[in-house]
Amino acid sequence: MLRAMNTSPECPEPASPAPERAAGRRVRLPSDLDADIREFGQAVRRFLDGELPPDRFRALRVPRGIYEQREDGTYMMRVRVPGGALAGAQAGALADAARRHGSGPLHLTTRQDVQIHDLDIADTPAVMRTLFEAGLTSKGGGGNTVRNVTTCPHAGVCPHEVFDVTPHALAVTEYLIAHPGSYHLPRKYKIAFSGCAADCALAGATDAGFVAGVRDGRAGFAFRAGGGMGAESRLADLVRPWIPAADAVRAAEAVRRLFDRIGDHRDRKHARLRFAAERLGSEVFREEVKAEVAAVDLEGTVPDAGPGPRPREAPPPPPDAPGGLWTRRDGLRVLGQRQRGFVTVSLRPPLGQIHEADLRTLGDLAERFSEEQGLRVLADQSLALRFVREEDLPALREALRGLRHDLHAPRAIHAFTACAGAATCRLGICQSRNAAQACADALEASDVDLRLLDSLEVRISGCPNACGQHPVGTIGLSGLADRHDGRPVPSYQLWLGARRGEGGTRFGTPVAQVPARALPALMEALLLDVQEHRAPGQTFSDYVEAGGPERLRALAAPLARIPPFAEDPATYEDLGTGDTFSLAGRGAGECGAGVSEVIETDLAAARGALEASDADPERLADAVLAAARALLVVRGEEASTPNAALDAFERHFVRTGLVDEATVPVLEAARLGLAPEPAPTAEIDLATDFFRQAVSLRALRERRDGVEALIGQVAHLYAGMDASLQFPGAEAAPTPESAAEAGAPQDADLRGVGCPVNFVRA
């Protein structure tokens, strides 16, 4: 990743000398990731041996970026690429991991991550080790964590940027990736940095956003918070119109702390920061953020992000950037960099799907042709090879012929960005990739001038959750399941009118809904209308506004009809499948797997075991164990044995007065029936073991009401648990002052402590 280039008037940008590799340093990963990989490897073995329940294992793997795919038993790993800056050697490491352990293709995401698919869970620790040695990690790639920090697609090279935001994105990454509090948030926390007012990184629609600006000749940022996209999208509030660039890490940390405090840890559907901001109202929320920033500043423990370079007097970006920045030269799609003599070359794997052999080759080509010896993963699921000398373009074009797939010839599919959809995602409703391909094929066969697509971004999500970022697409499409003739129908909502830009970002609005089968025809009709009626120089957003929603709805109306199943069964099939549409395989998503899910699973198991004990009294011990284990996650405990779980429950909940001491005999009865940990060479006394279990069973049967009461008390505690995972009646956590008076240490570095599900309240 690149260091910032000095672009001040005193140090003009170079023409022929090789530029400093400003994105060239890697993110410094915390050293305790080595131990974290070992601990996860142990958890994988326990899971495969049946010792670790699936729900608890899920809470361990998801914050480490490992998701189960739609097909049971197959997994995906999401690898963080901060700012999208990927060294050539790192591209090779990803390709090797995919070849050895995955299915081959890798997926580039809308948050500049890289995903490896179709992994065997037993192989994931080895993959994590390979990536760690290359300076990459999947930790924080999923779950309720600080996610990958994104930047402008052309940070450091764009002719219109105020300054390169890459170093600040890396500084925020390095601080938060090492912070224990980054892994137990109410929900995911996303951060974006944009280099100019065009806001290509969508800082105005994310949890914490920074847009480069200048005041009195000093580099800084417009600072926004509380935005995000999903079923209920929200624009971020402007917290400060300008903060010094050096304050970026402190501002990001302040939002993290505030999110942890005011976010809802229990209600996953409303746990994102934007819901807390909406609940408080913009004015109160802004003041809360400012107060948290002031507290962080006063504390003085969060590092400086660096002042940033002297900002540039850059020309304003063209409308509908970044599409308008690209031109074609020597058969390649290129961007003329602000560094004279250098260009950025666009490489377009269709829908972000790239074969591992091609990624490895591109890593090699980056080391040969790029002065920064790396690639950038862009939010439109493409790759950029930067700092290529203009005179090297013919040789590069020739070298690209060695790829398995053509990544530079213009094609309609390059205008489309799509999430994985129902192909692999458990939340996916529609086959979004198939929809994109079908639309692209239809456009290439139509009378649409494909040059029109150069300034468009068609973004498709397979469900309302906006992983394809449909709310901000020039044309947005989101999958849904309609119902007609008693059957589900795969359908898409069309969103139009989105804009981006500091202070001017807005989401698209829904204007029509059509069955998936009609989507290619809708895209063709829409673009033919644009081609015929858009005024010269008019942006697509201006065209939408000029036409009005009624005209666009009228355009879609003939395609919205859903015929009876007997008349046209194909309408009831998703694109590219040939099968009647159903939601089979869809289920609970894992993005927010966390505390509530673990507790509710254990409580359900406890109640089920209690009910089953009427016919099988031995199930009473299972009921006690499940109830005792349920709340341990809140205390940061992951007991490796039943005895350890009972001991931890008694220590954290009975001795503290949260659970009645009358439950102790129940715990003792259950503990009696558990075999002690034998020494490796110890012989098992079967008679003694049988006697002990018999006594335990009798004691538990006599205390069945006590078992039921124990479950009830645990359920009552959970019902009263607040959004910050505190229980009514629990002793308040000691303040720094009281801890100091008691002689206790005021700070604890828990980075080397094994955290069971990364939700421990550190």
Side-chain angles (χ1 to χ4, degrees):
M1 291 124 213
L2 303 175
R3 292 185 301 279
M5 293 184 189
N6 191 335
T7 57
S8 67
E10 291 78 12
C11 183
E13 297 168 73
S16 56
E20 185 183 358
R21 293 175 188 169
R25 75 165 180 84
R26 296 181 182 180
V27 165
R28 292 180 289 268
L29 297 178
S31 59
D32 65 354
L33 278 180
D34 184 70
D36 187 80
I37 294 170
R38 287 198 303 271
E39 291 169 6
F40 182 69
Q42 294 169 2
V44 169
R45 287 194 294 273
R46 291 175 56 209
F47 169 69
L48 294 175
D49 291 342
E51 298 173 4
L52 189 63
D55 60 296
R56 289 185 171 267
F57 181 60
R58 179 183 63 187
L60 280 168
R61 60 175 167 78
V62 170
R64 291 173 170 86
I66 301 171
Y67 290 86
E68 190 169 23
Q69 296 175 187
R70 204 172 181 99
E71 181 183 349
D72 291 344
T74 62
Y75 294 83
M76 174 273 287
M77 180 182 293
R78 182 179 297 133
V79 184
R80 298 170 62 139
V81 184
L86 189 69
Q90 292 176 328
L94 283 164
D96 288 343
R99 177 178 58 82
R100 294 173 185 168
H101 305 289
S103 54
L106 297 101
H107 179 63
L108 313 178
T109 80
T110 55
R111 287 202 59 80
Q112 299 175 296
D113 298 298
V114 179
Q115 293 178 178
I116 306 172
H117 284 264
D118 300 320
L119 293 170
D120 188 310
I121 195 63
D123 294 336
T124 53
V127 175
M128 294 166 75
R129 174 69 57 192
T130 297
L131 298 177
F132 178 62
E133 291 171 355
L136 295 169
T137 181
S138 65
K139 190 169 184 181
N144 305 332
T145 66
V146 178
R147 298 295 186 87
N148 194 39
V149 180
T150 61
T151 66
C152 283
H154 307 303
V157 301
C158 179
H160 307 281
E161 71 179 1
V162 180
F163 61 89
D164 183 7
V165 299
T166 305
H168 297 82
L170 300 188
V172 169
T173 297
E174 288 176 347
Y175 176 78
L176 289 176
I177 203 170
H179 197 297
S182 295
Y183 303 98
H184 60 72
L185 295 169
R187 200 66 171 83
K188 65 185 78 170
Y189 172 28
K190 297 180 177 179
I191 304 168
F193 283 83
S194 280
C196 73
D199 191 15
C200 297
L202 296 171
T206 195
D207 296 298
F210 300 85
V211 178
V214 58
R215 176 175 291 185
D216 299 327
R218 297 170 60 205
F221 297 103
F223 171 40
R224 294 180 176 271
M229 290 180 279
E232 299 177 55
S233 301
R234 183 181 191 273
L235 294 175
D237 293 315
L238 181 63
V239 179
R240 295 279 189 193
W242 189 86
I243 63 171
D247 290 350
V249 178
R250 288 185 282 272
E253 165 62 4
V255 174
R256 185 202 65 77
R257 293 185 187 184
L258 180 65
F259 185 23
D260 198 18
R261 177 163 59 83
I262 68 172
D264 195 329
H265 285 262
R266 291 194 55 181
D267 183 0
R268 191 173 78 178
K269 292 182 179 179
H270 297 92
R272 289 291 300 272
L273 179 61
R274 66 179 184 269
F275 292 108
E278 193 70 23
R279 187 173 65 247
L280 293 176
S282 292
E283 185 175 347
V284 173
F285 176 69
R286 280 194 297 266
E287 292 306 313
E288 288 279 358
V289 177
K290 291 176 184 177
E292 201 70 55
V293 171
V296 171
D297 286 340
L298 184 63
E299 182 183 289
T301 60
V302 180
D304 195 298
R310 188 169 177 179
R312 305 169 60 247
E313 292 295 332
D320 285 350
L325 299 178
W326 294 103
T327 60
R328 294 202 70 82
R329 194 185 309 176
D330 291 300
L332 299 172
R333 187 171 184 251
V334 302
L335 176 146
Q337 296 184 187
R338 61 180 175 85
Q339 295 84 8
R340 295 191 305 276
F342 293 94
V343 297
T344 292
V345 177
S346 174
L347 302 164
R348 310 278 290 181
L351 305 177
Q353 295 291 95
I354 183 167
H355 194 277
E356 52 87 8
D358 283 347
L359 183 60
R360 183 183 299 103
T361 299
L362 289 177
D364 294 338
L365 293 180
E367 294 186 342
R368 176 182 168 191
F369 287 99
S370 167
E371 294 291 341
E372 68 180 9
Q373 296 187 330
L375 302 159
R376 284 279 174 132
V377 181
L378 308 189
D380 64 357
Q381 299 177 311
S382 68
L383 290 166
L385 187 62
R386 304 161 14 129
F387 288 104
V388 176
R389 294 182 182 275
E390 291 179 339
E391 60 266 27
D392 288 342
L393 284 176
L396 173 61
R397 185 190 62 222
E398 188 63 29
L400 290 173
R401 297 183 189 277
L403 298 176
R404 293 193 177 197
H405 301 94
D406 187 346
L407 303 184
H408 63 275
R411 296 172 56 195
I413 192 65
H414 295 161
F416 290 80
T417 298
C419 70
T424 59
C425 178
R426 287 178 176 257
L427 283 176
I429 295 174
C430 295
Q431 296 278 354
S432 44
R433 289 175 182 163
N434 292 357
Q437 189 63 62
C439 289
D441 291 344
L443 292 176
E444 290 191 338
S446 73
D447 293 328
V448 172
D449 184 347
L450 296 184
R451 290 175 296 181
L452 177 64
L453 296 175
D454 288 342
S455 61
L456 301 183
E457 290 182 336
V458 186
R459 293 182 173 262
I460 308 181
S461 301
C463 75
N465 285 322
C467 292
Q469 298 182 339
H470 66 269
V472 294
T474 315
I475 298 172
L477 299 163
S478 59
L480 55 90
D482 201 347
R483 181 164 286 276
H484 189 78
D485 202 13
R487 296 172 180 269
V489 182
S491 304
Y492 282 90
Q493 185 87 55
L494 171 68
W495 302 72
L496 296 173
R499 291 183 184 270
R500 68 178 63 175
E502 169 54 23
T505 298
R506 75 180 186 204
F507 299 122
T509 56
V511 297
Q513 179 181 314
V514 298
R517 281 279 161 182
L519 192 58
L522 175 63
M523 284 293 300
E524 181 179 348
L526 176 61
L527 294 186
L528 284 173
D529 191 78
V530 174
Q531 189 169 292
E532 181 178 355
H533 296 107
R534 186 168 68 167
Q538 188 180 42
T539 69
F540 186 85
S541 296
D542 290 339
Y543 152 80
V544 170
E545 289 183 3
E550 294 305 320
R551 174 183 169 186
L552 297 169
R553 289 191 185 100
L555 193 69
L559 302 170
R561 176 181 175 268
I562 301 176
F565 180 80
E567 177 184 326
D568 185 12
T571 300
Y572 296 78
E573 299 173 2
D574 205 350
L575 291 164
T577 64
D579 298 320
T580 302
F581 178 70
S582 79
L583 295 177
R586 190 174 191 269
E590 295 188 334
C591 290
V595 174
S596 296
E597 290 81 357
V598 171
I599 296 173
E600 289 167 6
T601 298
D602 280 334
L603 276 174
R607 294 185 180 113
L610 179 67
E611 183 177 344
S613 70
D614 291 336
D616 181 7
E618 291 185 2
R619 295 299 308 280
L620 285 169
D622 296 334
V624 174
L625 181 60
R629 188 177 57 197
L631 298 178
L632 295 184
V633 61
V634 179
R635 293 295 186 253
E637 291 271 5
E638 173 58 31
S640 58
T641 67
N643 264 318
L646 297 175
D647 290 344
F649 178 79
E650 186 172 350
R651 181 170 67 255
H652 287 295
F653 294 96
V654 179
R655 296 178 192 170
T656 59
L658 288 172
V659 171
D660 196 324
E661 286 190 1
T663 60
V664 171
V666 174
L667 299 176
E668 289 295 339
R671 192 179 281 113
L672 182 63
L674 298 172
E677 297 286 338
T681 58
E683 295 182 0
I684 299 176
D685 187 333
L686 296 179
T688 301
D689 189 56
F690 177 80
F691 176 75
R692 183 181 62 252
Q693 292 186 28
V695 172
S696 170
L697 178 58
R698 178 178 177 181
L700 284 173
R701 292 178 67 179
E702 292 174 351
R703 291 174 173 80
R704 187 188 187 284
D705 291 345
V707 176
E708 186 172 5
L710 169 64
I711 297 171
Q713 288 190 59
V714 171
H716 178 73
L717 276 176
Y718 173 58
M721 186 177 74
D722 65 23
S724 59
L725 309 184
Q726 301 300 312
F727 299 107
E731 294 182 7
T735 64
E737 293 78 9
S738 64
E741 291 172 4
Q746 297 183 43
D747 299 293
D749 184 356
L750 301 180
R751 283 176 290 178
V753 176
C755 171
V757 292
N758 290 315
F759 295 100
V760 56
R761 309 290 297 180

